[in-house]
Amino acid sequence: FKSVTFEDSLFKNCVFEDITSVNTYFRNCTFVNTTFYNTDFEQYKFVGSELINCTFYHIRTGCQISFDDDYSAYWIYFVNFLGTLAVLPGNIVSALLMDRIGRLTMLG
């Protein structure tokens, strides 16, 4: 889950397994007979929620990878484009030198 907020929801006989959550919160939710296995749901993510007969197994702790909400694919492609653009002058100079002094000399 990424940046999901559940409000006033009922989770009955559910199994949450192998879930990583970033900025995910449960507000005023009710969990009945729910099992949490290998998740990173800690106590602070359940704001005003009621847990009835719930079981937690293998809770992950520590720092989870998170990116800001405004970190999008656009920036990844833009930075890649700038890196490719930075190499362009070197490629042009290499091509001109190769024609001028020869390929074998340039390779040497």
Side-chain angles (χ1 to χ4, degrees):
F1 297 129
K2 181 180 177 184
S3 298
V4 179
T5 301
F6 295 96
E7 293 183 3
D8 302 320
S9 300
L10 172 65
F11 297 92
K12 187 174 182 180
N13 298 324
C14 294
V15 176
F16 292 91
E17 185 174 352
D18 295 326
I19 295 177
T20 302
S21 62
V22 178
N23 293 331
T24 298
Y25 296 98
F26 299 92
R27 290 193 169 95
N28 302 321
C29 294
T30 304
F31 295 88
V32 179
N33 297 327
T34 302
T35 303
F36 298 92
Y37 180 77
N38 198 23
T39 64
D40 65 349
F41 293 140
E42 295 185 26
Q43 189 65 34
Y44 71 91
K45 294 191 177 199
F46 300 100
V47 180
S49 295
E50 186 177 2
L51 300 168
I52 302 169
N53 197 19
C54 295
T55 311
F56 290 84
Y57 296 108
H58 303 287
I59 302 301
R60 289 187 229 157
T61 57
C63 179
Q64 303 292 328
I65 295 174
S66 64
F67 295 104
D68 295 332
D69 291 335
D70 61 346
Y71 194 78
S72 63
Y74 167 77
W75 289 108
I76 294 171
Y77 290 115
F78 183 70
V79 169
N80 191 11
F81 173 72
L82 288 179
T84 305
L85 201 60
V87 177
L88 188 62
N91 289 342
I92 293 172
V93 169
S94 295
L96 292 175
L97 279 175
M98 198 176 299
D99 286 340
R100 216 76 43 222
I101 63 174
R103 294 180 180 199
L104 291 177
T105 308
M106 186 75 173
L107 187 62

